[in-house]
Amino acid sequence: MTAVTDHTEHERERDEPPAEPSSTDGTPGEARTAGETSAAGEGPASGEARHGSSEDVWDDGLIARRGGATSSSGAPSGGPSGAPSVTPSGAPSSTSASSSTYCSTSASSGTSSSTSSGISTAYEGPLRARLDALRELVGLSRTRLDSATLAEAGRVLDEAAARRRLSGRHTVVAIAGATGSGKSTLFNALAGVTISETGVRRPTTAAPIGCSWTDGAAGLLDRLGIPGRLRRRPLQGPDLNTLEGLVLIDLPDHDSAVGEHRAHVDRILALVDAVIWVVDPEKYADAMLHERYLRPMAGHAEVTFVVLNQVDRLPGDAADQVLDDLRRLLDEDGIALGEHGEPGATVLSLSALTGEGVDELRDSLGQFTKERGAAARRIAADLDAAADELWPVYAAGAGTHGGRGGVRIGLSEEAREEFADRLADAVGAAAAGQAAERAWRRNAGKACGTPWLRLWRWYEAQRSPLNVGWPAAREPADEEATARQRVEHAVRTVADEAAAGLPQPWGQAVREAAVRGAEGLPEALDELTVSAGVPEGRPPRPGWWPVAVFAQAAMTMLQVVGGLWLVAQIIGIAVPNLGVPVLLMLAGIVGGPCVEWGSRMAARGPARRYGADAERRLREAAAGCGRARVLDPVAAELLRYLEVREQYVRVTGAVVG
């Protein structure tokens, strides 16, 4: 017996060729309903009322039996609702729902299935905040990460948007398992009628078959790519309300020898709200099942059922032993088991052939479906999986330090000061300060020194080609004012310091920003040594310089007067008196060097301050140039990373303080 709601129309379908789906949900009857609603000017509420009154109408597009009626009503194939087009296979032509539109309202462009169901899937509270954060995260990361890295995150956003626009009062559950595990038998047992073929021939199920317990699931089945000819309804009976809202999908074998069958399984498992894994006593420990499916989907435990089928083949208490061993394997896979009221996977044992334990599974599915939270749980689990996959590219220290320990992000003050010191050393700031100090002392010696000593130094300087005896003024920086290698080393060092603890993509971005900023930095520092180095001309003179100059002039005058007096006495012009002129000369000869020595002592402090000021100016200029060209771009990259890391923390569901 085959499960069909309207047997008369189903018989007529056998004599008529199947028609192409005329709308997103593949149901021409619904397109006609939407067209009539639009023509009559009625809103969704009236459409829902009319749908509710049509008890004998099933809008899930079983072989699209109302194709002729739709064409006669004049409704376009796309439907007036503006639903997206569908490929010939029934699958949506594109999952073009972008990450920026997953939370948009589907009222203006909703499918007829969402109109008929009247309820769309809602993502509220933390889940919506996490989806918003993931959308922001993907947007901020596009220029730093390749598309392959962000592909899974984009898929989660697209699927969340697609699922949100569809019915929220339906729960899509897939039955998956290996060859001979009894999936189709269990599928038929839950439906109460033979829907999926069973038999010894392997593989038996070649394409996914859908069975809906409630109207309005056409859009969900379209999303899974299940054509109308493979959509069924369960047997009408007292157990029908128990599974109200359930959409059950019988999948091909996940270990089928036919590649197309495995492709169906992998595609639909990524779209359904929950999965029932059917295992048998012989293959419940199959490595392919655990390594390819159960272990990678350990985070989806809350939307996972694991059923040990064919327990009627086990003698005595062997069923309990096998079930315990199955629980042990699931625990090793990292799957939380829903025991003692804790959230996790539901593990049951049953016999689909004899009916033992099927009622318990039906009750569990009924409670699970009535909660209407499976879609949100599935999206939350997908978010967790995407966040785990993105951990190495967003979490500090995941790449270099290999752990989830806290690593300080950014440049410390010590690193900034060290960078400034290296640039100052490259421009010769210390040498410029020493040159400025020598210049100040040299000018002080010229102004306050004895004329005879200055004359002697000038004479020695003229005789010596190397100007020995008179420290000639030196430029604060020679032709190689900045050592290019020193500058490059300083940039590399500060870039490595800034990138320490960052994931590889963001560390590379920081280094590239530093390298870009370092282009032309040596030339800019060369210009600074000229403009911000020792100023040209004489250094400023302190207030005591005139007094020292006057005192040195007085000492010179004493020497001259005393000398002339002695000469006058020798030639007989003046009265002989050697005491006074000798004392005058001695006072001038001794006083001159004393004034020069005192001036030199007094000039140490101002000369040192003058040199330190010149070094400070050059150091600050070099630091400012390095900050504008290197540190600011690096800081911008670090701020960008901190922003995306904050969004990543929101995606994981952690509270950002």
Side-chain angles (χ1 to χ4, degrees), residues 266-332:
D266 294 342
R267 177 178 59 82
I268 292 182
L269 285 180
L271 301 177
V272 295
D273 301 330
V275 183
I276 299 176
W277 287 102
V278 181
V279 298
D280 60 82
E282 294 180 359
K283 302 173 68 174
Y284 72 92
D286 182 46
M288 181 179 181
L289 170 66
H290 289 268
E291 294 177 3
R292 185 176 179 182
Y293 294 103
L294 293 179
R295 196 168 300 162
M297 298 186 68
H300 296 70
E302 293 188 35
V303 291
T304 300
F305 292 78
V306 182
V307 173
L308 176 63
N309 193 14
Q310 303 177 11
V311 294
D312 57 298
R313 298 168 50 192
L314 298 175
D317 59 349
D320 293 335
Q321 296 177 2
V322 174
L323 189 63
D324 290 340
D325 193 47
L326 175 60
R327 288 193 176 98
R328 179 187 62 80
L329 293 175
L330 294 176
D331 184 67
E332 292 179 357

Side-chain angles (χ1 to χ4, degrees), residues 111 126 248 322 442 446 493 607:
T111 62
L248 197 62
V322 174
R442 184 166 57 252
K446 289 181 179 179
T493 302

Side-chain angles (χ1 to χ4, degrees), residues 322-370:
V322 174
L323 189 63
D324 290 340
D325 193 47
L326 175 60
R327 288 193 176 98
R328 179 187 62 80
L329 293 175
L330 294 176
D331 184 67
E332 292 179 357
D333 291 335
I335 298 178
L337 303 181
E339 298 175 341
H340 311 293
E342 298 179 357
T346 301
V347 183
L348 300 173
S349 62
L350 54 82
S351 173
L353 186 63
T354 64
E356 177 187 354
V358 174
D359 290 338
E360 182 181 358
L361 176 61
R362 182 180 289 109
D363 293 339
S364 298
L365 280 177
Q367 181 64 31
F368 183 76
T369 304
K370 289 178 181 178

Side-chain angles (χ1 to χ4, degrees), residues 432-458:
Q434 294 173 1
E437 181 178 354
R438 288 195 300 268
W440 206 97
R441 289 183 178 182
R442 184 166 57 252
N443 284 305
K446 289 181 179 179
C448 304
T450 60
W452 321 118
L453 184 57
R454 282 186 291 166
L455 183 62
W456 171 256
R457 289 174 177 171
W458 175 82

Side-chain angles (χ1 to χ4, degrees), residues 452 550-564 584 588:
W452 321 118
F550 177 78
Q552 192 64 259
M555 296 301 103
T556 303
M557 290 299 298
L558 288 177
Q559 296 179 47
V560 172
V561 171
L564 293 176
L584 292 176

Side-chain angles (χ1 to χ4, degrees), residues 98-120:
S98 63
S99 60
S100 62
T101 61
Y102 78 89
C103 60
S104 62
T105 306
S106 60
S108 61
S109 61
T111 62
S112 57
S113 64
S114 62
T115 303
S116 62
S117 65
I119 302 175
S120 61

Side-chain angles (χ1 to χ4, degrees), residues 53-356:
S53 63
S54 303
E55 297 179 355
D56 59 337
V57 176
W58 177 40
D59 60 352
D60 281 2
L62 179 61
I63 320 182
R65 57 182 175 271
R66 296 186 179 88
T70 302
S71 60
S72 64
S73 67
S77 61
S81 61
S85 61
V86 179
T87 61
S89 64
S93 60
S94 172
T95 56
S96 59
S98 63
S99 60
S100 62
T101 61
Y102 78 89
C103 60
S104 62
T105 306
S106 60
S108 61
S109 61
T111 62
S112 57
S113 64
S114 62
T115 303
S116 62
S117 65
I119 302 175
S120 61
T121 304
Y123 303 144
E124 301 297 340
L127 179 57
R128 182 165 185 171
R130 294 178 65 189
L131 288 170
D132 287 335
L134 183 60
R135 181 186 58 188
E136 288 291 329
L137 182 67
V138 172
L140 291 171
S141 305
R142 291 193 186 279
T143 58
R144 295 294 178 268
L145 302 178
D146 56 79
S147 58
T149 303
L150 299 174
E152 178 62 19
R155 188 198 68 81
V156 171
L157 289 173
D158 290 342
E159 298 304 337
R163 184 63 180 91
R164 186 184 187 276
R165 287 192 295 268
L166 299 175
S167 173
R169 65 189 184 98
H170 289 83
T171 301
V172 184
V173 181
I175 296 183
T179 303
S181 60
K183 303 183 305 301
S184 298
T185 305
L186 179 60
F187 183 78
N188 296 334
L190 291 173
V193 65
T194 301
I195 293 178
S196 186
E197 295 183 5
T198 61
V200 180
R201 181 178 58 88
R202 298 289 181 262
T204 303
T205 305
I209 301 174
C211 181
S212 174
W213 269 253
T214 311
D215 294 343
L220 294 168
L221 294 171
D222 286 337
R223 179 171 175 249
L224 300 179
I226 299 178
R229 61 184 177 82
L230 295 178
R231 302 180 186 184
R232 303 289 187 269
R233 292 300 296 270
L235 180 67
Q236 303 293 324
D239 294 333
L240 187 63
N241 294 332
T242 303
L243 300 178
E244 180 181 0
L246 176 65
V247 180
L248 197 62
I249 310 298
D250 185 19
L251 296 180
D253 302 331
H254 72 77
D255 59 351
S256 174
V258 182
E260 184 180 359
H261 296 179
R262 298 193 302 272
H264 280 310
V265 173
D266 294 342
R267 177 178 59 82
I268 292 182
L269 285 180
L271 301 177
V272 295
D273 301 330
V275 183
I276 299 176
W277 287 102
V278 181
V279 298
D280 60 82
E282 294 180 359
K283 302 173 68 174
Y284 72 92
D286 182 46
M288 181 179 181
L289 170 66
H290 289 268
E291 294 177 3
R292 185 176 179 182
Y293 294 103
L294 293 179
R295 196 168 300 162
M297 298 186 68
H300 296 70
E302 293 188 35
V303 291
T304 300
F305 292 78
V306 182
V307 173
L308 176 63
N309 193 14
Q310 303 177 11
V311 294
D312 57 298
R313 298 168 50 192
L314 298 175
D317 59 349
D320 293 335
Q321 296 177 2
V322 174
L323 189 63
D324 290 340
D325 193 47
L326 175 60
R327 288 193 176 98
R328 179 187 62 80
L329 293 175
L330 294 176
D331 184 67
E332 292 179 357
D333 291 335
I335 298 178
L337 303 181
E339 298 175 341
H340 311 293
E342 298 179 357
T346 301
V347 183
L348 300 173
S349 62
L350 54 82
S351 173
L353 186 63
T354 64
E356 177 187 354

